[in-house]
Amino acid sequence: MAEGLANRIKEAREAKGWTQAQLAEEMGVSRKTVNTVENGVFIPSTIVSLKFAQALGETVEALFWLD
């Protein structure tokens, strides 16, 4: 994970039965954005973090934490 930021995006996405492309469409971002955040390559902005939380029906704190 980038700079110690961990996430459970993949688990939350899979729990909804969504592909990365479906989550990206729901959020209004690219699939590459979902992929790079999910794999810890990219640290999302506050806005993108909030979009993940809203789309997945989770809190930001439930999706992201410092490792």
Coordinates of all heavy atoms in Angstrom, one line a residue:
M1 N 0.8 -1.2 0.0 CA 0.0 0.0 0.0 C 0.9 1.2 0.0 O 1.9 1.3 0.7 CB -0.9 0.0 1.2 CG -2.0 -1.0 1.3 SD -3.4 -0.5 0.3 CE -3.8 -2.1 -0.4
A2 N 0.4 2.2 -0.7 CA 1.2 3.5 -0.8 C 1.2 4.2 0.5 O 0.2 4.4 1.2 CB 0.6 4.4 -1.9
E3 N 2.4 4.6 1.0 CA 2.5 5.4 2.2 C 1.8 4.9 3.4 O 1.3 5.7 4.2 CB 2.2 6.9 1.9 CG 3.2 7.5 0.9 CD 2.9 9.0 0.7 OE1 2.5 9.7 1.7 OE2 3.1 9.4 -0.4
G4 N 1.6 3.6 3.6 CA 0.9 3.1 4.7 C -0.6 3.2 4.8 O -1.2 2.9 5.8
L5 N -1.2 3.6 3.6 CA -2.7 3.7 3.6 C -3.2 2.3 3.1 O -2.9 1.9 2.0 CB -3.1 4.8 2.6 CG -4.6 5.0 2.6 CD1 -5.1 5.6 3.9 CD2 -5.0 5.9 1.4
A6 N -4.0 1.7 3.9 CA -4.7 0.4 3.6 C -6.1 0.7 3.2 O -6.7 1.7 3.6 CB -4.5 -0.5 4.7
N7 N -6.7 -0.2 2.5 CA -8.1 -0.1 2.2 C -8.8 -1.5 2.0 O -8.1 -2.5 1.8 CB -8.3 0.8 0.9 CG -8.0 0.1 -0.3 OD1 -8.7 -0.8 -0.8 ND2 -6.9 0.5 -1.0
R8 N -10.1 -1.4 2.1 CA -10.9 -2.7 1.8 C -11.9 -2.4 0.7 O -13.0 -2.9 0.7 CB -11.6 -3.2 3.1 CG -12.5 -2.2 3.8 CD -13.1 -2.8 5.0 NE -14.2 -3.8 4.6 CZ -15.4 -3.5 4.3 NH1 -15.8 -2.2 4.2 NH2 -16.2 -4.4 4.0
I9 N -11.4 -1.7 -0.3 CA -12.3 -1.4 -1.5 C -12.7 -2.6 -2.2 O -13.9 -2.8 -2.5 CB -11.6 -0.4 -2.4 CG1 -11.2 0.9 -1.8 CG2 -12.4 -0.2 -3.7 CD1 -12.4 1.7 -1.3
K10 N -11.7 -3.5 -2.4 CA -12.0 -4.7 -3.2 C -13.1 -5.6 -2.5 O -14.0 -6.0 -3.1 CB -10.8 -5.6 -3.4 CG -11.0 -6.8 -4.2 CD -9.7 -7.5 -4.5 CE -10.0 -8.8 -5.4 NZ -8.7 -9.5 -5.7
E11 N -12.9 -5.7 -1.2 CA -13.9 -6.5 -0.4 C -15.3 -5.9 -0.4 O -16.3 -6.6 -0.6 CB -13.4 -6.7 1.0 CG -12.2 -7.5 1.2 CD -10.9 -6.7 1.0 OE1 -10.9 -5.5 0.7 OE2 -9.8 -7.3 1.2
A12 N -15.3 -4.6 -0.3 CA -16.6 -3.9 -0.3 C -17.3 -4.0 -1.7 O -18.5 -4.2 -1.8 CB -16.5 -2.5 0.2
R13 N -16.4 -3.8 -2.7 CA -16.9 -3.9 -4.1 C -17.5 -5.3 -4.4 O -18.6 -5.5 -5.0 CB -15.8 -3.5 -5.1 CG -16.1 -3.7 -6.5 CD -15.0 -3.3 -7.4 NE -13.8 -4.1 -7.3 CZ -13.6 -5.3 -7.7 NH1 -14.5 -6.0 -8.3 NH2 -12.4 -5.9 -7.5
E14 N -16.7 -6.3 -4.0 CA -17.1 -7.7 -4.3 C -18.3 -8.1 -3.5 O -19.2 -8.9 -4.0 CB -15.9 -8.6 -4.0 CG -14.8 -8.5 -5.1 CD -13.7 -9.5 -4.8 OE1 -13.5 -9.9 -3.7 OE2 -12.9 -9.7 -5.8
A15 N -18.5 -7.5 -2.3 CA -19.7 -7.8 -1.5 C -21.0 -7.3 -2.3 O -22.1 -7.8 -2.1 CB -19.6 -7.1 -0.2
K16 N -20.8 -6.2 -3.1 CA -22.0 -5.7 -3.9 C -22.1 -6.5 -5.2 O -23.1 -6.3 -5.9 CB -21.8 -4.3 -4.2 CG -22.0 -3.4 -3.0 CD -22.1 -1.9 -3.4 CE -22.9 -1.1 -2.5 NZ -24.3 -1.3 -2.4
G17 N -21.1 -7.3 -5.5 CA -21.2 -8.1 -6.8 C -20.8 -7.3 -8.0 O -21.1 -7.6 -9.1
W18 N -20.0 -6.2 -7.7 CA -19.6 -5.3 -8.8 C -18.2 -5.5 -9.3 O -17.4 -5.9 -8.6 CB -19.7 -3.8 -8.3 CG -21.0 -3.2 -8.1 CD1 -22.2 -3.8 -8.4 CD2 -21.3 -2.0 -7.4 NE1 -23.2 -3.0 -8.0 CE2 -22.7 -1.8 -7.4 CE3 -20.5 -1.0 -6.9 CZ2 -23.3 -0.7 -6.9 CZ3 -21.1 0.1 -6.4 CH2 -22.5 0.3 -6.4
T19 N -18.1 -5.3 -10.6 CA -16.7 -5.2 -11.2 C -16.1 -3.9 -10.9 O -16.8 -2.9 -10.5 CB -16.8 -5.5 -12.7 OG1 -17.5 -4.4 -13.3 CG2 -17.5 -6.8 -13.1
Q20 N -14.8 -3.8 -11.2 CA -14.2 -2.4 -11.1 C -14.9 -1.4 -12.0 O -15.1 -0.3 -11.6 CB -12.7 -2.5 -11.4 CG -11.9 -3.2 -10.3 CD -10.4 -3.3 -10.6 OE1 -10.0 -3.1 -11.7 NE2 -9.6 -3.6 -9.6
A21 N -15.2 -1.9 -13.2 CA -15.9 -1.0 -14.2 C -17.2 -0.5 -13.7 O -17.6 0.6 -13.8 CB -16.0 -1.7 -15.5
Q22 N -18.0 -1.4 -13.0 CA -19.3 -1.0 -12.5 C -19.1 0.0 -11.3 O -19.9 1.0 -11.3 CB -20.1 -2.2 -12.0 CG -20.6 -3.1 -13.1 CD -21.1 -4.4 -12.6 OE1 -20.5 -5.1 -11.8 NE2 -22.3 -4.8 -13.1
L23 N -18.2 -0.2 -10.5 CA -17.9 0.8 -9.4 C -17.5 2.1 -10.0 O -17.9 3.2 -9.5 CB -16.9 0.2 -8.4 CG -16.5 1.2 -7.3 CD1 -17.7 1.7 -6.5 CD2 -15.4 0.5 -6.4
A24 N -16.6 2.1 -10.9 CA -16.1 3.3 -11.6 C -17.3 4.1 -12.2 O -17.4 5.3 -12.0 CB -15.1 3.0 -12.6
E25 N -18.2 3.4 -12.9 CA -19.3 4.0 -13.5 C -20.2 4.7 -12.4 O -20.7 5.8 -12.5 CB -20.1 3.1 -14.3 CG -21.3 3.7 -15.0 CD -22.0 2.7 -15.9 OE1 -21.4 1.8 -16.4 OE2 -23.2 2.9 -16.1
E26 N -20.4 4.0 -11.3 CA -21.2 4.5 -10.2 C -20.6 5.7 -9.6 O -21.3 6.7 -9.2 CB -21.4 3.4 -9.1 CG -22.2 3.8 -8.0 CD -23.7 3.8 -8.3 OE1 -24.2 3.2 -9.3 OE2 -24.5 4.5 -7.6
M27 N -19.3 5.8 -9.6 CA -18.6 6.9 -9.0 C -18.3 8.0 -9.9 O -18.0 9.2 -9.5 CB -17.2 6.4 -8.5 CG -17.3 5.5 -7.3 SD -15.6 4.8 -6.9 CE -14.7 6.3 -6.5
G28 N -18.4 7.8 -11.2 CA -18.0 8.8 -12.2 C -16.5 9.0 -12.4 O -16.1 10.1 -12.7
V29 N -15.8 7.9 -12.2 CA -14.3 7.9 -12.4 C -14.0 6.8 -13.4 O -14.8 6.0 -13.8 CB -13.6 7.7 -11.1 CG1 -13.9 8.8 -10.1 CG2 -13.8 6.4 -10.4
S30 N -12.7 6.7 -13.7 CA -12.2 5.6 -14.6 C -12.0 4.3 -13.9 O -11.8 4.3 -12.7 CB -10.9 6.0 -15.3 OG -9.9 6.0 -14.4
R31 N -12.1 3.2 -14.6 CA -11.8 1.9 -14.0 C -10.3 1.9 -13.5 O -10.0 1.3 -12.5 CB -12.0 0.8 -15.0 CG -11.9 -0.6 -14.4 CD -11.6 -1.7 -15.3 NE -10.3 -1.5 -16.0 CZ -9.1 -1.7 -15.6 NH1 -9.0 -2.2 -14.3 NH2 -8.0 -1.5 -16.3
K32 N -9.4 2.6 -14.2 CA -8.1 2.7 -13.8 C -7.9 3.3 -12.4 O -7.1 2.9 -11.6 CB -7.2 3.4 -14.8 CG -5.7 3.4 -14.5 CD -4.9 4.1 -15.5 CE -3.4 4.0 -15.1 NZ -2.6 4.6 -16.2
T33 N -8.7 4.3 -12.1 CA -8.7 5.0 -10.8 C -9.1 4.0 -9.8 O -8.5 3.9 -8.7 CB -9.7 6.2 -10.8 OG1 -9.2 7.2 -11.7 CG2 -9.8 6.8 -9.4
V34 N -10.2 3.2 -10.0 CA -10.6 2.2 -9.0 C -9.5 1.2 -8.8 O -9.2 0.8 -7.7 CB -11.9 1.5 -9.5 CG1 -12.3 0.3 -8.6 CG2 -13.1 2.5 -9.5
N35 N -8.9 0.7 -9.9 CA -7.9 -0.3 -9.8 C -6.7 0.2 -9.1 O -6.2 -0.5 -8.2 CB -7.5 -0.7 -11.3 CG -6.4 -1.8 -11.2 OD1 -5.2 -1.4 -11.3 ND2 -6.8 -3.0 -11.2
T36 N -6.2 1.4 -9.3 CA -5.0 1.9 -8.7 C -5.2 2.2 -7.2 O -4.3 1.9 -6.4 CB -4.4 3.1 -9.4 OG1 -5.3 4.1 -9.5 CG2 -3.9 2.7 -10.8
V37 N -6.4 2.6 -6.8 CA -6.7 2.8 -5.4 C -6.8 1.5 -4.7 O -6.3 1.3 -3.7 CB -7.9 3.7 -5.2 CG1 -8.4 3.8 -3.8 CG2 -7.7 5.1 -5.7
E38 N -7.6 0.6 -5.3 CA -7.9 -0.7 -4.8 C -6.5 -1.5 -4.5 O -6.4 -2.2 -3.5 CB -8.7 -1.5 -5.8 CG -9.3 -2.8 -5.2 CD -10.3 -3.4 -6.2 OE1 -11.5 -2.9 -6.2 OE2 -9.9 -4.3 -6.9
N39 N -5.6 -1.3 -5.4 CA -4.3 -2.0 -5.3 C -3.2 -1.2 -4.5 O -2.1 -1.6 -4.5 CB -3.8 -2.4 -6.6 CG -4.7 -3.5 -7.2 OD1 -4.8 -4.6 -6.6 ND2 -5.3 -3.3 -8.4
G40 N -3.6 -0.1 -4.0 CA -2.7 0.7 -3.2 C -1.6 1.4 -3.9 O -0.6 1.8 -3.3
V41 N -1.8 1.6 -5.2 CA -0.8 2.3 -6.0 C -1.0 3.8 -5.9 O 0.0 4.6 -6.0 CB -0.9 1.8 -7.5 CG1 0.0 2.6 -8.4 CG2 -0.6 0.3 -7.6
F42 N -2.2 4.2 -5.7 CA -2.6 5.6 -5.7 C -3.3 6.0 -4.5 O -4.2 5.2 -4.1 CB -3.4 5.9 -7.0 CG -3.9 7.3 -7.1 CD1 -3.1 8.4 -7.4 CD2 -5.3 7.6 -6.9 CE1 -3.6 9.7 -7.5 CE2 -5.8 8.9 -7.0 CZ -4.9 9.9 -7.3
I43 N -3.0 7.1 -3.8 CA -3.8 7.6 -2.7 C -4.8 8.5 -3.2 O -4.5 9.5 -3.8 CB -2.8 8.3 -1.7 CG1 -1.8 7.3 -1.1 CG2 -3.7 8.9 -0.5 CD1 -0.8 7.9 -0.2
P44 N -6.1 8.2 -2.9 CA -7.2 9.0 -3.5 C -7.3 10.4 -2.7 O -7.0 10.5 -1.6 CB -8.4 8.2 -3.2 CG -8.1 7.4 -2.0 CD -6.6 7.1 -2.1
S45 N -7.8 11.3 -3.5 CA -8.1 12.6 -2.9 C -9.3 12.5 -1.9 O -10.0 11.4 -1.9 CB -8.5 13.6 -4.0 OG -9.8 13.2 -4.5
T46 N -9.6 13.5 -1.1 CA -10.7 13.4 -0.2 C -12.0 13.2 -1.0 O -12.9 12.4 -0.6 CB -10.8 14.8 0.6 OG1 -9.6 14.9 1.3 CG2 -12.0 14.7 1.5
I47 N -12.2 13.9 -2.1 CA -13.4 13.8 -3.0 C -13.6 12.4 -3.5 O -14.6 11.8 -3.4 CB -13.4 14.8 -4.1 CG1 -13.5 16.2 -3.5 CG2 -14.5 14.5 -5.1 CD1 -13.4 17.3 -4.5
V48 N -12.5 11.8 -4.0 CA -12.6 10.4 -4.5 C -12.8 9.4 -3.4 O -13.6 8.5 -3.5 CB -11.3 10.0 -5.3 CG1 -11.3 8.6 -5.7 CG2 -11.2 10.9 -6.6
S49 N -12.2 9.7 -2.2 CA -12.5 8.8 -1.0 C -14.0 8.9 -0.7 O -14.6 7.8 -0.4 CB -11.7 9.2 0.1 OG -10.3 9.1 -0.1
L50 N -14.6 10.1 -0.7 CA -16.0 10.2 -0.4 C -16.9 9.6 -1.4 O -17.9 9.0 -1.1 CB -16.3 11.7 -0.2 CG -15.8 12.4 1.0 CD1 -15.9 13.9 0.9 CD2 -16.5 11.9 2.3
K51 N -16.4 9.6 -2.7 CA -17.2 8.9 -3.8 C -17.2 7.4 -3.6 O -18.2 6.7 -3.8 CB -16.6 9.3 -5.1 CG -17.0 10.7 -5.6 CD -16.4 10.9 -7.0 CE -16.8 12.3 -7.5 NZ -16.5 12.5 -8.9
F52 N -16.0 6.9 -3.2 CA -15.9 5.4 -2.8 C -16.9 5.1 -1.7 O -17.7 4.1 -1.8 CB -14.5 5.0 -2.4 CG -13.6 4.6 -3.5 CD1 -12.5 5.4 -3.8 CD2 -13.8 3.4 -4.2 CE1 -11.6 5.0 -4.8 CE2 -12.9 3.1 -5.2 CZ -11.8 3.9 -5.5
A53 N -16.9 5.9 -0.7 CA -17.8 5.6 0.5 C -19.2 5.7 0.1 O -20.0 4.8 0.4 CB -17.5 6.6 1.6
Q54 N -19.6 6.7 -0.7 CA -21.0 6.9 -1.1 C -21.4 5.7 -2.0 O -22.5 5.2 -1.8 CB -21.2 8.2 -1.8 CG -22.6 8.5 -2.2 CD -22.7 9.9 -2.8 OE1 -21.9 10.3 -3.6 NE2 -23.8 10.6 -2.4
A55 N -20.6 5.4 -3.0 CA -21.0 4.4 -3.9 C -21.1 3.0 -3.2 O -22.0 2.2 -3.6 CB -20.0 4.3 -5.0
L56 N -20.3 2.7 -2.3 CA -20.2 1.4 -1.6 C -21.1 1.4 -0.3 O -21.2 0.3 0.3 CB -18.8 1.1 -1.3 CG -17.9 0.8 -2.5 CD1 -16.4 0.7 -2.1 CD2 -18.4 -0.5 -3.2
G57 N -21.7 2.5 0.0 CA -22.6 2.5 1.2 C -21.8 2.3 2.5 O -22.3 1.7 3.4
E58 N -20.6 2.8 2.6 CA -19.7 2.7 3.7 C -19.2 4.0 4.2 O -19.3 5.0 3.4 CB -18.5 1.8 3.3 CG -18.8 0.5 2.8 CD -18.7 -0.6 3.8 OE1 -18.3 -0.4 5.0 OE2 -18.9 -1.8 3.4
T59 N -18.6 4.1 5.3 CA -17.9 5.3 5.8 C -16.5 5.3 5.2 O -16.0 4.2 4.9 CB -17.9 5.5 7.3 OG1 -17.1 4.4 7.8 CG2 -19.3 5.4 7.9
V60 N -15.9 6.5 5.1 CA -14.5 6.6 4.7 C -13.7 5.8 5.6 O -12.8 5.0 5.2 CB -14.1 8.0 4.5 CG1 -12.6 8.1 4.3 CG2 -14.9 8.7 3.4
E61 N -13.9 5.9 6.9 CA -13.2 5.3 7.9 C -13.2 3.7 7.8 O -12.3 3.0 8.2 CB -13.6 5.7 9.3 CG -13.3 7.1 9.6 CD -14.4 8.1 9.1 OE1 -15.4 7.6 8.5 OE2 -14.2 9.3 9.4
A62 N -14.4 3.2 7.4 CA -14.5 1.8 7.2 C -13.7 1.3 6.0 O -13.4 0.1 5.9 CB -16.0 1.4 7.1
L63 N -13.5 2.1 5.0 CA -12.8 1.7 3.8 C -11.3 2.0 3.8 O -10.6 1.3 3.1 CB -13.4 2.5 2.6 CG -14.9 2.1 2.3 CD1 -15.4 3.1 1.1 CD2 -15.0 0.7 1.8
F64 N -10.9 3.0 4.5 CA -9.5 3.4 4.5 C -8.9 3.5 5.9 O -9.7 4.0 6.8 CB -9.3 4.8 3.8 CG -9.7 4.8 2.4 CD1 -10.9 5.2 2.0 CD2 -8.8 4.4 1.4 CE1 -11.3 5.2 0.7 CE2 -9.2 4.4 0.0 CZ -10.4 4.8 -0.3
W65 N -7.7 3.2 6.1 CA -7.0 3.4 7.4 C -5.5 3.4 7.2 O -5.0 2.9 6.2 CB -7.4 2.3 8.4 CG -7.0 0.9 8.0 CD1 -5.8 0.3 8.4 CD2 -7.7 0.0 7.2 NE1 -5.7 -1.0 7.8 CE2 -6.9 -1.2 7.1 CE3 -8.9 0.0 6.5 CZ2 -7.2 -2.3 6.3 CZ3 -9.2 -1.1 5.7 CH2 -8.4 -2.2 5.6
L66 N -4.8 3.9 8.2 CA -3.4 3.9 8.2 C -2.9 2.6 8.7 O -3.3 2.1 9.7 CB -2.8 5.1 9.0 CG -3.1 6.5 8.5 CD1 -2.5 7.5 9.5 CD2 -2.4 6.7 7.1
D67 N -2.0 2.0 7.9 CA -1.5 0.7 8.2 C -0.2 0.8 9.1 O 0.6 1.6 8.9 CB -1.2 -0.1 7.0 CG -1.1 -1.6 7.2 OD1 -1.5 -2.1 8.2 OD2 -0.5 -2.2 6.3

